[in-house]
Amino acid sequence: MHRSVAKLALLLATVIFSVAAAHARQLQLAHAAGASCLPHERDALLAFKQAGNDTYDFLASWQRRHKDCCRWRGVTCSNETGHVIELDIGVTFLEGKISPSLLSLEHLEYLNLNNTNLLGPDGTSLFPEILCSLSNLRHLDLSGTRFSGRLPAQLANLSNLEYLDLSETSLHGPNGRAPEFLPRKNLRHLDLSGTQFSWRVSPQLFNLSKLEYLDLSHTSMSGILPPQLGNLSNLRHLSLGFMQDIHTSDISWLTHLHFLEYVDMSNINLSRADVFLVANTIPSLKALILISCALPNADQSLTQVNLTKLEQLYLSGNYLGHRIETCWFWNLTSIKDLELESTYLYGPFPDALGGMISLQRMNFNYNGNSATMTVDLKNLCDLETLLLDRSLAFVNLTDFVMKLPQCSSNKLKMLSSNHNNMAGVLPDMVGHFTSLKSLYLYNNSITGAIPTGLVNCTSLRTVALGLNQLSGQIPTLPRSLTQVDLSMNSLSGPLPSDFGAPDLTVLSLSSNYITGHVPSPICKLQNLVFLDLSQNRFEGEFPRCSSMPNLIFVHLSNNNFSGNFPPFLQNCSQLTFLDLAMNGFDGALPVWIGDLVNLRFVQLNHNMFYGDIPANITSLVLLQLFSLASNNISGSIASSLSKLIGMTLKHLPRSEPQWFEFTGSTDEMLPVDILSVVMKQQELKFRGAAFTDIVSIDLSLNYLTGELPDDITSLNGLLSLNLSWNHLSQKIPAKIGDMKSLESLDLSRNNISGEIPTSLLDLTYLSSLDLSYNNLAGRIPTGRQLDTLYAEDPSMYDGNSHLCGLPVQRNCSGNSPPEHGNHQRSENAYEPVMFFYIGLASGFVVGLWLVFCAFLFKRAWRHAYFRLFDKLCDKVYVFVVVTWGRINTKATAS
Ligand SMILES: *[C@@H]1O[C@H](CO)[C@@H](O)[C@H](O)[C@H]1NC(C)=O
Ligand SMILES: *[C@@H]1O[C@H](CO)[C@@H](O)[C@H](O)[C@H]1NC(C)=O
Ligand SMILES: *[C@@H]1O[C@H](CO)[C@@H](O)[C@H](O)[C@H]1NC(C)=O
Ligand SMILES: *[C@@H]1O[C@H](CO)[C@@H](O)[C@H](O)[C@H]1NC(C)=O
Ligand SMILES: *[C@@H]1O[C@H](CO)[C@@H](O)[C@H](O)[C@H]1NC(C)=O
Ligand SMILES: *[C@@H]1O[C@H](CO)[C@@H](O)[C@H](O)[C@H]1NC(C)=O
Ligand SMILES: *[C@@H]1O[C@H](CO)[C@@H](O)[C@H](O)[C@H]1NC(C)=O
Ligand SMILES: *[C@@H]1O[C@H](CO)[C@@H](O)[C@H](O)[C@H]1NC(C)=O
Ligand SMILES: *[C@@H]1O[C@H](CO)[C@@H](O)[C@H](O)[C@H]1NC(C)=O
């Protein structure tokens, strides 16, 4: 018994020993071979993984059964000692906590946690102090992490640190004092860009003799740039752009930085700093970034330009305002990337541009349309991007295209020349640009046909040729296209039977003279999001597509479409905007319209729809614009209107619809033609997303009967309610005063009886009221805005023989003879052409300008970047003039 136990023990011991020995041998072997890992470090790594949350499985290889942790993803061990020395798990989106087990990796030299979502061991986003104990650390990258708050002073203990990147975090320095925290001795790379650091820039800050890379851009630092920066003699990269409030008048210290390759001083006022003379003494410079530096000019005559390595030159946002050719940099053939946006340079481009053979990208947007470009660019074989929006005075497009790079491997990817007075035809040879992805020529004077050669641009994804004078038929388009804007031209003839571009998401053909049926291959455009065929001469039924599930925006107004409410819309559950106005659609409105729950804007006016308003319409809880005006709708108004909560104030603020994903270089260029909405007895025109805030119901000119349901008064976000020219009867709801947002109320030409509720006086925003030609009786409420409105429009109570009171100067106690109003429906006045003129005459000028301004400011705020107000005004002007002309032409033509 004892013996066998002893034997067993011996056996076990032997086994254990031999396993251990083998393991040790294995380890040694592995070490010798340069890869293995120490068990306690493996455990530490596993504990690290355990504490985190590896949602995306980046650390899938971190498994106990994969013994050699040196081969795990992101782990590197030392060849000599086998210790883990590098941990690189940047961009893994790891979540959870950093495990204190990290401290076991005491030989760690390199730690990259960039763009992870880790928190400290304590579960907070405070800087994890345990990192300060990794005393061998040389490289620490925490950029884009969630860490915030104050850095601990112990960070200075990391005396071996050479590389520190805290960019794009919410970290800031200890006690807002000078940066004692920095481990100075060995630091070569310091990136604090986009952090919350807010010191005054002090000389001590730059007492870092080995520093090669310094990025303080987009921080809240302030003060005067100290000349001690010039002591950082090893500096190669200096980025000081867009700091809070930095001043300097003397940057001569830059001349001491003999290795400097990259300098960014954007948004620092350098108006008196002679920056180009200084820069010219640093021949090592590769990038000079001086955006919005208040530079007065760039026409220094540098006797000898030293900057032969310069690749990147950004001078955008400086009002240089002199002739283009006098700039000092045109002879620098090393330049690859040139930004001159909003510099207001003018005159001809110099021929030297044609010799800048390294040029890959030139941004000359927004320079005020006074430059000319006749330079031969044939030899710029590397040119990928050329941006000239709103900068050229006049260009012959044909000549211009002929002079674009014509190299065997053509790299041109993006050409943008919007708002430029480009005239002439787009030549067929545009098909040579087989790399071209985006072609923007919006708002020019391009004539002729769209060249058939375009189909050979096999990389083309976006084409914007809107607002030109293109004529002829639309040819087959390149297969690669996803976004097309050909709106506001004079294109005619039918659409090609095959679009040839199955991946289209945006198709805007509005305001042309396109005729015929929409060909059924349009149904193949399964990715279509935005479809605008408005203001053309399309006819017949829209093809019965089975589904186009991604449609958000459908604008078919002002055509001759006929047939029922288009059945293909039934499955468009994303549909937000639907405008079928001014067509010949007929039939009943489908009940399934209630399933299109994302609908916000619905215009069906001026068609021949008949039958009831489907009760299911009240399922459209986002609905804010609904017009059925001038149809043959009968029946009564549903009483469950209170369900339309999109028309209540509770629903504010409304988001801007997101269908304008047209990724042009100019955000003002939207593939959206004007939307017209009748409000306040005038036609208001909106462009882009300006109509986001409209809340309106228009059921005028129909055959509605019954009462005006009380429920309608719960729609207190409604700005405009028009029920005129119907057969509505009974009373105006007493609580009409609850519709606090109402600016326009038109109940004229019905059979409404009873008194005018005094609560009408509560509608303080009311600026248009029409109650004429009803059977209203009793005393007219007076006071506040009602008196003003009456003064402006004395006819607003006309044709109500039993009304009395001050405004109509009929004594309420007395018996006055009933007045005979003219109840004839004069629908002719609302026929499309006349309708236009009425709108134009009364509302166009005032309404349009107001709406435009609001819209433009809004967008300008969102995207403002060197966009000045006068440019916007230019645009409004151009747009108004062009539109005005176009509408006039159309109206007279038809
Ligand atoms: C990990 O993340 C997933 C998804 O974010 C979450 O459902 C889960 O609860 C998380 N687990 C832990 C341990 O935090
Ligand atoms: C380790 O050795 C391998 C092969 O000899 C070599 O490729 C690698 O660069 C070395 N790694 C380190 C960190 O020295
Ligand atoms: C983040 O880490 C990734 C992966 O290690 C690396 O490629 C990238 O350059 C790092 N980014 C920054 C901003 O440090
Ligand atoms: C950092 O160094 C200081 C002395 O310079 C020492 O008192 C402190 O304990 C160190 N902190 C850490 C976390 O090692
Ligand atoms: C060009 O650089 C050299 C060397 O830094 C300098 O001596 C010379 O003055 C510079 N030339 C000009 C025009 O600044
Ligand atoms: C630039 O080149 C043009 C012609 O090639 C020459 O006339 C001019 O002097 C050059 N300018 C400089 C500053 O080198
Ligand atoms: C543009 O140039 C071409 C060829 O040089 C010429 O035929 C055409 O008339 C010009 N067009 C305009 C509008 O000037
Ligand atoms: C498109 O390119 C092909 C092949 O290079 C050529 O044969 C054809 O004529 C081009 N088409 C047009 C319309 O230019
Ligand atoms: C219309 O609404 C009614 C009741 O609200 C509902 O039963 C019916 O399913 C809806 N029909 C459609 C097609 O949405």
Side-chain angles (χ1 to χ4, degrees), residues 136-210:
N136 288 309
L137 223 47
R138 289 206 266 214
H139 180 114
L140 178 59
D141 186 348
L142 299 178
S143 68
T145 57
R146 293 161 65 182
F147 297 119
S148 61
R150 189 179 293 169
L151 282 177
Q154 294 96 301
L155 195 66
N157 287 19
L158 299 178
S159 56
N160 292 313
L161 208 60
E162 295 172 5
Y163 183 108
L164 179 60
D165 189 345
L166 305 175
S167 61
E168 306 303 328
T169 63
S170 298
L171 290 163
H172 59 81
N175 303 325
R177 281 187 295 108
E180 299 303 330
F181 75 100
L182 283 176
R184 297 158 178 277
K185 208 168 91 204
N186 290 303
L187 207 60
R188 295 174 198 274
H189 181 113
L190 177 61
D191 191 345
L192 302 179
S193 62
T195 59
Q196 307 286 316
F197 284 83
S198 60
W199 300 308
R200 294 190 72 74
V201 184
S202 60
Q204 307 92 290
L205 176 54
F206 304 110
N207 184 11
L208 300 158
S209 56
K210 291 194 178 162

Side-chain angles (χ1 to χ4, degrees), residues 394 396-399 423-425:
F394 169 82
N396 182 325
L397 179 63
T398 321
D399 294 346
V425 300

